[in-house]
Amino acid sequence: MKTETQDLTELDNFLADRWLSGLWKLDRHERTPDPQTKVVPHLWKWDDVYDSLRQARDRIGIEKGRTERRTIRLVNPGMRHIEMTSHTMLLACQMIQPGEVAPAHRHTMAAIRFIVQGQGAYTVVNGEKLMMAEGDLILTPQWTWHDHGHEGREPMVWLDGLDVPLIQSLQVISYEPYSEEKQATHASGQEASLFGMTRPVRSGDGAAPTPLHYRWKDTYRSLQALADTPADPYDGVALDYVNPLTGGSTLPTLACRAQMLRPGERTRAHRHNSTSIYHAFRGSGATVINGETLEWSKGDTFIVPLWSWHEHANRSAEDEAILFSMHDAPVLEAFGLHRQESLDESGMGM
Ligand SMILES: [Fe+2]
Ligand SMILES: [Fe+2]
């Protein structure tokens, strides 16, 4: 006489032999109202990242066909198996030395660059040469040609933010090297941000992706203007980098934000099912994530996993703190999946 379990095991094996599977095998207890993630809160200290870049600089040259980028990935302890920063995003740090060229290529992953240190380096996106300055944000939309070079005197460092794990999970990674090491550049005139509220009239090339360059001096001026008005309760004085051509998010898969925490400012807690990676560009403070406090200062990077309660505080009573951040919210919004709540709404009280 067979037991019920033996009978069910026999059925499961019978199905498995035919590449079929019964839904009764799923553990109902794994399904909860709260989304689950393997991404964990983590803080990467600037000294560790910068020291690692310097060690890489001393041992690794940039050459076409070998290592085309001197880039170090920030690996989330929960994403160790794929060496990514979250399940949707990769944040890396890149260093380029005077005279070096990071050869041209293109890929289906979209990238943002946020310039952290140095001057004199440039990136060429689809033939448009964009000079980098600290605090600038430069976009490399998916499938645009890009190479980097350095005409300055000191090492230059920036953050590379990409949607690699998302594009990987969709299995649509394409990569192509350019025929030459560097792209030929053309006279400025493509760069959308040069034109403010106006657009050049052009025929025929309307579909070409537009390189976008958000200069720190403009961003900071906007932050300062906004700092005189009431701040967002959860994000402080915060600006989204919008795509001026669409009015939408920075890139289809990534949103970028600059936010200021005024001296002594502390935000209220909220949570959302998008993931956020923060870089402390100026100042110092603390972010509490599900009760765990991450103390950050200039140059540090940290991640807030999805659905984690979080609040930020500027620890200085005199100096402002500025956070740059990257989010995967546009992906969730595109599919009607984005959720957020605050402590007051959830009835948990403040
Ligand atoms: Fe690239
Ligand atoms: Fe948030």
Side-chain angles (χ1 to χ4, degrees):
M1 184 76 180
K2 266 188 269 179
T3 65
E4 201 178 316
T5 314
Q6 281 171 329
D7 200 32
L8 208 53
T9 306
E10 209 171 89
L11 174 60
D12 288 340
N13 292 338
F14 176 85
L15 292 176
D17 286 345
R18 287 154 184 78
W19 296 106
L20 300 167
S21 174
L23 199 63
W24 53 84
K25 285 166 67 183
L26 292 184
D27 183 356
R28 244 179 287 155
H29 302 293
E30 280 179 12
R31 298 189 188 164
T32 64
D34 291 329
Q36 308 291 319
T37 181
K38 293 189 166 60
V39 177
V40 296
H42 193 77
L43 174 78
W44 292 264
K45 295 299 289 179
W46 170 250
D47 285 348
D48 290 339
V49 173
Y50 192 59
D51 183 47
S52 306
L53 280 170
R54 278 189 299 204
Q55 292 204 35
R57 174 195 62 189
D58 295 343
R59 292 172 208 180
I60 297 164
I62 304 178
E63 292 162 47
K64 193 166 173 69
R66 192 169 167 267
T67 301
E68 299 198 343
R69 302 286 188 267
R70 188 184 296 107
T71 299
I72 291 181
R73 296 188 275 187
L74 276 59
V75 178
N76 189 281
M79 292 286 113
R80 182 177 313 179
H81 56 297
I82 52 170
E83 297 197 326
M84 293 290 159
T85 318
S86 86
H87 59 306
T88 47
M89 297 180 285
L90 169 65
L91 194 82
C93 216
Q94 180 162 173
M95 179 185 272
I96 189 165
Q97 289 280 90
E100 284 182 331
V101 172
H105 64 207
R106 65 177 176 176
H107 37 70
T108 42
M109 291 79 81
I112 62 111
R113 330 245 168 241
F114 183 75
I115 317 309
V116 168
Q117 181 180 298
Q119 55 182 352
Y122 62 85
T123 185
V124 178
V125 182
N126 276 0
E128 185 80 16
K129 184 174 180 177
L130 308 165
M131 293 305 296
M132 296 167 151
E134 282 178 21
D136 286 5
L137 174 70
I138 295 176
L139 307 188
T140 306
Q142 63 276 21
W143 211 234
T144 50
W145 295 109
H146 55 282
D147 53 86
H148 317 299
H150 194 356
E151 297 163 345
R153 297 194 179 159
E154 300 293 327
M156 184 123 185
V157 177
W158 62 81
L159 303 178
D160 286 312
L162 297 105
D163 52 12
V164 176
L166 176 73
I167 304 305
Q168 231 163 23
S169 70
L170 295 172
Q171 302 190 349
V172 288
I173 290 188
S174 293
Y175 168 94
E176 193 178 4
Y178 194 63
S179 52
E180 314 285 330
E181 188 178 50
K182 296 158 81 168
Q183 298 170 69
T185 55
H186 48 66
S188 194
Q190 295 290 320
E191 195 195 317
S193 46
L194 285 178
F195 300 101
M197 299 288 278
T198 59
R199 294 285 164 268
V201 176
R202 285 203 187 92
S203 307
D205 66 349
T210 308
L212 287 170
H213 186 176
Y214 306 81
R215 290 174 175 76
W216 176 246
K217 61 178 169 53
D218 299 330
T219 308
Y220 189 54
R221 195 168 48 220
S222 302
L223 276 175
Q224 283 176 307
L226 200 63
D228 294 332
T229 65
D232 181 89
Y234 311 106
D235 288 302
V237 176
L239 290 171
D240 282 322
Y241 291 89
V242 296
N243 180 329
L245 302 180
T246 63
S249 59
T250 323
L251 285 164
T253 49
L254 298 169
C256 294
R257 179 173 285 180
Q259 71 194 80
M260 180 195 288
L261 300 169
R262 295 168 294 194
E265 186 162 9
R266 180 182 195 100
T267 67
R268 286 156 66 179
H270 76 164
R271 66 177 178 178
H272 32 73
N273 60 359
S274 50
T275 300
S276 310
I277 304 172
Y278 290 89
H279 177 81
F281 183 58
R282 300 260 168 90
S284 62
T287 295
V288 182
I289 306 172
N290 280 347
E292 180 185 348
T293 303
L294 302 182
E295 301 274 354
W296 44 262
S297 49
K298 182 175 158 53
D300 295 349
T301 301
F302 60 95
I303 182 163
V304 178
L306 62 85
W307 217 233
S308 314
W309 293 106
H310 55 283
E311 58 192 81
H312 310 288
N314 182 347
R315 281 285 162 85
S316 169
E318 290 89 40
D319 302 319
E320 64 197 25
I322 292 177
L323 294 169
F324 169 81
S325 57
M326 177 170 85
H327 314 255
D328 60 6
V331 179
L332 300 169
E333 283 160 0
F335 298 108
L337 293 169
H338 197 234
R339 275 175 75 194
Q340 58 183 328
E341 62 183 29
S342 58
L343 282 176
D344 3 301
E345 288 164 6
S346 71
M348 293 174 74
M350 286 294 291

